[in-house]
């Protein structure tokens, strides 16, 4: 006996989402179509998403329902499609004319070894060949999917990153990305378990960052850093004077045009070691531009935050990098001695002064990101970093930006 259940699930600003359960065949296809069209009348002007999570079977009669709905709709999206239904849609060519999202795999990380922890979530080892980066609550599915696509594109374009497989759901409700990681560990964990290798690991860390920035990526695949920063300057214009907004834009323009990869978060918790090779696993902010701009993020994570007098900032660094603050500062000190090319105190101090100016510039731009938690921080960052650091040191900052 055929049965099908159609229910209205929820409505967003642009979409109405229905759930379809059971089986759709010639016995009930007409009834299913009628029910969807009737429900559609209550939500005019919105695109339709049909969640097929509970759909067990669909015949050619059911597929024709989708086709007729498509003629009446601007766009139809089929979501949470299981593998069997996906195979049917693929064989019949529906993937070419519909937006189709496969149902993610469900995994259980309970009892799995924790490989690393960071600001975005926790990395678990699933088995000897794979790990999963499980995001903390609050990350949207589209943000996680975007990171997956960035990771795949980065790999195909020569960026040293792990092979990424798919987005998964965990039984506790969180989402994650699965990576191939045979015999791997995080750089943070390597520092903690092999303190005798501190110098070797730090030299390898610096070399990895430098080699990363020797790459040149094709234009148009990843966002351009200067475009991103100009957009953020527009956001910050609401919180400063027109002259200060113009200053931010002009500072962005000091940077050279380039297509070197910029990861944005190159701390040891986001770097894996696999058979002696360092690989990236965290890609939400990858863009292109002058590669040395990445050093600003490293300075933030290894020097500014862990060295902050504010306990919350030190704790943020410890969680993000997954190390004790004292150990993070030790890595930061040695990393930037190597990067400065000298252990001479005056040379290192000059280098740190330049990095502090770049950090303040980046801090003002970072709070312009589209996160609700950052909005209340914007006026304070304008006062502290823009007016307190950038404006009094404008000439030096311009030179620092040109040198990237």
């Amino acid at each position: 006996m055929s049965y099908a259940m159609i229910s209205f699930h929820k409505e967003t600003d642009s979409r109405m989402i229905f759930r379809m359960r059971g089986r759709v065949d010639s016995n009930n296809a007409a009834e299913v179509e009628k029910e969807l069209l009737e429900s559609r009348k209550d939500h005019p002007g919105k695109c339709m998403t049909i969640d097929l999570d509970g759909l067990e079977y669909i015949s050619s009669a059911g597929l024709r329902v989708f086709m007729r709905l498509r003629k009446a709709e601007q766009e139809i999206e089929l979501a949470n499609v299981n593998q069997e239904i996906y195979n049917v849609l693929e064989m019949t060519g529906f993937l070419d004319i519909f937006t189709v999202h496969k149902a993610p795999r469900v995994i259980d990380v309970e009892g799995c070894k924790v490989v690393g922890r960071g600001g975005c979530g926790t990395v678990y080892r699933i088995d000897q060949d794979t790990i999963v980066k499980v995001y903390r609550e609050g990350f949207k599915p589209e943000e996680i999917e975007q990171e997956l696509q960035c990771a795949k594109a980065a790999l195909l374009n020569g960026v040293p990153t792990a092979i990424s497989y798919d987005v998964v759901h965990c039984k506790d409700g969180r989402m994650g990305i699965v990576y191939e990681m045979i015999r791997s560990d995080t750089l943070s964990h390597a520092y903690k378990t092999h303190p005798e290798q501190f110098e070797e690991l730090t030299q390898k860390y610096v070399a990895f960052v430098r080699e990363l920035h020797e790459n040149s990526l094709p234009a148009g695949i990843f966002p351009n850093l200067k475009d991103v920063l100009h957009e953020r300057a527009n956001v910050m214009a609401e919180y400063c004077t027109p002259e200060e907004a113009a200053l931010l834009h002009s500072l962005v323009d000091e940077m050279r045009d380039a297509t070197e990869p910029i990861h944005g978060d190159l701390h040891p918790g986001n770097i894996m070691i696999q058979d002696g090779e360092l690989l990236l696993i965290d890609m939400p902010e990858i863009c292109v531009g002058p590669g040395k701009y990445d050093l600003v993020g490293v300075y933030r994570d290894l020097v500014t935050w862990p060295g902050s007098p504010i306990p919350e900032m030190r704790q943020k660094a410890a969680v993000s990098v997954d190390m004790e603050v004292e150990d993070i500062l030790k890595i930061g000190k040695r990393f930037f001695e190597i990067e400065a090319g000298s252990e001479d105190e005056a040379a290192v101090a000059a280098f740190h002064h330049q990095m502090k100016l770049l950090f303040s510039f980046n801090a003002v731009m970072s709070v312009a990101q589209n996160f609700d938690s950052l909005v209340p921080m914007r006026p304070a960052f304008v006062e502290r970093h823009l007016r307190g650091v950038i404006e009094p040191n404008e000439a030096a900052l311009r030179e620092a930006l040109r040198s990237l």
Side-chain angles (χ1 to χ4, degrees):
M1 179 179 176
S2 300
Y3 72 96
M5 294 178 59
I6 307 296
S7 61
F8 175 71
H9 176 46
K10 65 179 180 179
E11 186 174 4
T12 68
D13 290 341
S14 61
R15 309 197 72 86
M16 49 181 181
I17 303 174
F18 296 92
R19 282 179 169 165
M20 182 179 289
R21 304 286 184 268
R23 300 169 60 88
V24 181
D25 56 27
S26 58
N27 293 312
N28 62 3
E31 182 182 345
V32 167
E33 181 177 358
K34 180 181 178 182
E35 192 167 346
L36 282 170
L37 289 173
E38 287 296 322
S39 299
R40 175 74 180 89
K41 293 178 182 178
D42 298 329
H43 308 277
K46 297 199 173 183
C47 298
M48 178 184 287
T49 294
I50 305 177
D51 185 333
L52 304 183
D53 181 46
L55 187 65
E56 301 168 9
Y57 172 81
I58 188 166
S59 71
S60 60
L63 294 178
R64 287 193 292 274
V65 170
F66 290 156
M67 290 298 296
R68 286 192 288 271
L69 284 171
R70 183 174 177 273
K71 290 181 180 179
E73 298 293 329
Q74 292 179 333
E75 177 190 348
I76 292 183
E77 185 177 75
L78 305 178
N80 283 322
V81 181
N82 68 40
Q83 189 61 55
E84 286 189 18
I85 302 297
Y86 187 87
N87 290 342
V88 171
L89 297 175
E90 184 176 36
M91 288 186 294
T92 54
F94 271 57
L95 300 187
D96 297 330
I97 56 177
F98 286 86
T99 300
V100 179
H101 302 288
K102 291 177 70 172
R105 289 190 291 147
V106 178
I107 64 172
D108 188 359
V109 296
E110 185 175 354
C112 292
K113 177 184 176 182
V114 174
V115 178
R117 301 181 192 275
C120 293
T122 305
V123 179
Y124 299 89
R125 178 162 292 285
I126 304 173
D127 53 41
Q128 64 178 2
D129 295 335
T130 54
I131 60 172
V132 59
K133 176 186 174 183
V134 179
Y135 293 79
R136 58 177 170 80
E137 293 182 4
F139 276 83
K140 299 176 182 178
E142 54 268 28
E143 293 172 337
I144 298 172
E145 179 63 34
Q146 176 64 28
E147 179 168 346
L148 175 65
Q149 297 309 316
C150 283
K152 290 180 181 294
L155 177 67
L156 291 175
N157 285 280
V159 176
T161 182
I163 297 173
S164 52
Y165 290 142
D166 57 348
V167 174
V168 295
H169 281 189
C170 298
K171 288 189 175 180
D172 62 7
R174 293 179 296 166
M175 297 178 68
I177 296 177
V178 174
Y179 295 88
E180 179 192 51
M181 272 295 173
I182 303 170
R183 298 181 299 278
S184 62
D185 202 354
T186 64
L187 182 57
S188 290
H189 194 253
Y191 271 118
K192 290 187 288 188
T193 55
H194 299 287
E196 75 284 359
Q197 296 180 14
F198 174 84
E199 182 64 20
E200 177 188 348
L201 289 171
T202 307
Q203 291 283 353
K204 185 175 287 190
Y205 181 14
V206 174
F208 172 74
V209 172
R210 289 176 175 173
E211 290 168 8
L212 172 66
H213 299 144
E214 290 173 358
N215 289 290
S216 180
L217 300 180
I221 296 178
F222 301 101
N224 182 283
L225 173 66
K226 293 177 70 171
D227 292 341
V228 171
L229 293 180
H230 277 303
E231 290 174 6
R232 293 180 183 178
N234 287 334
V235 173
M236 295 307 295
E238 181 181 343
Y239 303 89
C240 56
T241 67
E243 292 76 17
E244 289 170 332
L247 171 62
L248 290 176
H249 283 291
S250 71
L251 289 170
V252 173
D253 289 332
E254 293 286 1
M255 289 189 287
R256 63 188 172 89
D257 294 319
T259 57
E260 297 147 15
I262 299 172
H263 181 269
D265 212 10
L266 283 174
H267 63 69
N270 281 336
I271 300 173
M272 303 296 295
I273 305 178
Q274 180 175 320
D275 293 333
E277 180 185 10
L278 300 190
L279 299 170
L280 298 169
I281 62 167
D282 201 13
M283 294 286 180
E285 298 181 15
I286 187 170
C287 60
V288 296
K292 282 193 173 182
Y293 194 81
D294 245 346
L295 295 179
V296 184
V298 179
Y299 195 82
R300 173 198 65 209
D301 293 330
L302 302 187
V303 178
T304 306
W305 284 357
S308 171
I310 304 172
E312 291 81 6
M313 297 308 297
R314 295 196 300 273
Q315 177 64 19
K316 186 181 177 95
V319 171
S320 180
V321 183
D322 191 28
M323 296 182 71
E324 296 295 327
V325 165
E326 294 77 13
D327 296 325
I328 298 173
L329 287 169
K330 181 182 177 182
I331 297 170
K333 180 177 183 296
R334 184 61 184 135
F335 183 102
F336 285 102
E337 283 177 351
I338 300 169
E339 189 60 41
S342 172
E343 295 184 28
D344 176 73
E345 288 188 9
V348 172
F351 187 85
H352 276 271
H353 177 67
Q354 186 180 69
M355 294 307 303
K356 288 176 181 177
L357 295 179
L358 292 168
F359 169 79
S360 283
F361 173 73
N362 187 63
V364 171
M365 296 304 199
S366 294
V367 293
Q369 294 179 84
N370 188 27
F371 295 111
D372 291 341
S373 60
L374 297 179
V375 175
M377 300 167 64
R378 291 170 184 169
F381 271 55
V382 165
E383 198 63 39
R384 178 180 176 183
H385 293 287
L386 178 56
R387 294 172 183 153
V389 178
I390 294 174
E391 291 179 2
N393 297 277
E394 179 184 339
L397 177 55
R398 288 187 183 279
E399 178 59 32
L401 288 165
R402 284 194 293 268
S403 71
L404 292 174

